[in-house]
Amino acid sequence: MVALKNLLTACFSWKEYPMQFFADTADVAAIRQLHEDHRIDGVTTNPSLMAKTGRPIMDVIAEICDIVDGPVSAEVTAADYENMLRQGRLLADIAENVAVKLPLTKDGLKACAALSDFGIMVNVTLCFTPMQALMAARAGAHFVSPFVGRLDDIGQQGMDLIIDIADIFDAHQMETEILAASIRHQAHVLEAAKAGAHVVTIPPKLFDELLQHPLTDAGIDRFNKDWQEAGGQEF
Ligand code: E4P
């Protein structure tokens, strides 16, 4: 009975909110653990993350799609339209929840439009300007991925990009979801949430950090101490 209750709790207690948290990694073991601990809504991978696994992309994406029900981004490596389309269809065939990730180039947006017409979910990646995001939305992208951290790296305010895209998409009721990417620290998650990003894709180590505060730990210690000093019964 207890086991059944635990199972039901695990299945139903995580609420599905409009703002989603994806894991930004191709590490299957890390994804399994994150999903168990935090019930992640999806996963983003890229060729750099995939290369770190040292395994074939098809196998890795299939395993991730078995773990997570939500969108799993798998990126093409081709640069030309025909091969993007070919690779995109191969990736989309792996599982229904694959989002084909395409770079924000002319060929990438052409492939985005074609794959979207086939009913395939597309994540247009490497977005660095609001105009690029608008072009991706026009091409039917399900997600557009603005890279916050990489703009910070070159001395710009990466978060301004999320704010501008959110304003434009709101003004024109565009359905493309803003997937805040290249997230480096807690403040990025907070600011992306405030700016109205639909999704934030988060590096694995940051998930636990989002939970932490020294006063939470001190509060638990204090409650335990008070309980024991008062002779509180174990239960
Ligand atoms: C996600 O889709 C991106 O591939 C990723 O967030 C890039 O992050 P980085 O700039 O830390 O490599």
Side-chain angles (χ1 to χ4, degrees), residues 104 127 129-138 144 146 161 165 169 176:
L104 217 155
C127 172
T129 72
M131 284 302 100
Q132 287 182 317
L134 190 50
M135 295 295 273
R138 289 183 66 255
V144 64
L161 176 58
I165 298 170
F169 284 10
T176 300

Side-chain angles (χ1 to χ4, degrees), residues 3-42:
L4 178 63
K5 193 174 164 222
N6 286 344
L7 181 66
L8 289 174
T9 305
C11 290
F12 298 117
S13 66
W14 294 83
K15 302 231 182 307
E16 283 187 19
Y17 286 110
M19 187 188 172
Q20 303 198 321
F21 278 16
F22 289 4
D24 197 19
T25 179
D27 180 334
V28 173
I31 289 165
R32 193 169 280 116
Q33 190 64 53
L34 285 171
H35 198 44
E36 202 178 306
D37 294 344
H38 301 283
R39 191 52 62 99
I40 52 178
D41 302 301

Side-chain angles (χ1 to χ4, degrees), residues 58 75-79 82-92 100 115:
M58 298 293 172
E75 189 157 345
V76 302
T77 50
E82 296 294 345
N83 279 309
M84 282 178 173
L85 214 54
R86 182 183 59 76
Q87 290 185 342
R89 292 180 106 156
L90 287 173
L91 292 168
V100 175
L115 292 172

Side-chain angles (χ1 to χ4, degrees), residues 52-75:
K52 282 189 199 163
T53 70
R55 299 180 53 210
I57 179 169
M58 298 293 172
D59 296 353
V60 175
I61 295 296
E63 278 181 38
I64 299 173
C65 288
D66 270 350
I67 300 168
V68 180
D69 291 335
V72 174
S73 289
E75 189 157 345

Side-chain angles (χ1 to χ4, degrees), residues 155-224:
Q156 296 188 22
Q157 292 292 323
M159 201 50 66
D160 287 350
L161 176 58
I162 304 283
I163 294 167
D164 285 346
I165 298 170
D167 283 350
I168 294 167
F169 284 10
D170 273 359
H172 300 284
Q173 284 123 46
M174 293 180 130
E175 289 175 2
T176 300
E177 296 190 12
I178 302 167
L179 193 165
S182 189
I183 294 295
R184 302 277 162 77
H185 44 69
Q186 292 193 42
H188 276 159
V189 180
L190 171 66
E191 295 303 322
K194 282 160 68 178
H198 303 86
V199 185
V200 181
T201 190
I202 302 173
K205 69 177 177 58
L206 203 48
F207 273 89
D208 282 350
E209 287 177 28
L210 293 176
L211 287 173
Q212 288 163 6
H213 194 282
L215 288 178
T216 303
D217 298 336
I220 292 167
D221 288 347
R222 174 74 173 272
F223 287 149
N224 281 339

